[in-house]
């Protein structure tokens, strides 16, 4: 029996050179790695993001693929990409899911665990 599973990991980075804190503009990049940890080949079709800033302002983003790609991943294969977001506050979080379709037509969701976007801690 086939199993349908993508495992998602995230690394984040604050981009000070693109940010303007005095104007409420905090830019973050995030690198996502999607690994097919199931036993069936499957394609990432669409995404859904929930982006929350420190004021609890929520923005939802839906769209096809990820950065213009709809990768077909066989078991053990991975897809990695980097994207970004702009927050009005120096902290926030993102979470969501990818909508996927296996080669046998089975549909499933791959959760994107919540991750924190935050300015790096500085020591004085």
């Amino acid at each position: 029996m086939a199993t349908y599973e993508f495992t998602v990991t995230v690394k984040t980075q604050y981009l000070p050179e693109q940010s303007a804190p005095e104007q409420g503009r905090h830019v973050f990049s995030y690198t996502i790695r999607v690994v097919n940890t199931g036993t069936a080949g499957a394609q990432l079709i669409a995404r859904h993001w929930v982006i929350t800033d420190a004021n609890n302002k929520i923005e939802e983003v839906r769209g096809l693929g990820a950065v213009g790609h709809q990768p077909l991943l066989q078991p053990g294969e991975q897809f990695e990409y980097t994207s970004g977001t702009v927050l009005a506050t120096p902290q926030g979080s993102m979470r969501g899911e990818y909508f996927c379709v296996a080669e046998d037509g089975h549909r499933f969701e791959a959760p994107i665990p919540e991750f924190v976007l935050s300015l790096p801690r500085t020591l004085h």
Side-chain angles (χ1 to χ4, degrees):
M1 171 130 174
T3 57
Y4 309 96
E5 181 178 63
F6 282 3
T7 300
V8 180
T9 56
V10 184
K11 290 186 196 144
T12 64
Q13 187 175 359
Y14 180 66
L15 303 176
E17 66 283 358
Q18 295 180 31
S19 298
E22 66 285 352
Q23 296 165 18
R25 178 179 164 86
H26 303 274
V27 181
F28 297 89
S29 72
Y30 51 89
T31 300
I32 306 266
R33 176 180 292 146
V34 181
V35 181
N36 184 341
T37 49
T39 60
Q43 187 171 18
L44 187 160
I45 300 297
R47 69 192 182 283
H48 171 228
W49 285 109
V50 178
I51 306 165
T52 307
D53 73 11
N55 297 326
N56 275 332
K57 178 179 163 277
I58 295 174
E59 178 186 0
E60 290 198 52
V61 177
R62 296 175 191 274
L64 290 176
V67 294
H69 297 277
Q70 291 181 315
L72 173 60
L73 301 176
Q74 296 301 323
E77 289 183 340
Q78 67 180 28
F79 173 68
E80 186 172 289
Y81 71 93
T82 299
S83 189
T85 192
V86 179
L87 296 180
T89 60
Q91 285 90 28
S93 66
M94 291 178 64
R95 62 182 168 82
E97 59 265 332
Y98 294 118
F99 300 98
C100 308
V101 178
E103 289 178 320
D104 63 9
H106 180 85
R107 296 170 184 268
F108 65 100
E109 293 180 8
I112 305 166
E114 184 167 33
F115 57 94
V116 173
L117 301 165
S118 180
L119 268 66
R121 300 264 182 245
T122 54
L123 296 174
H124 296 284

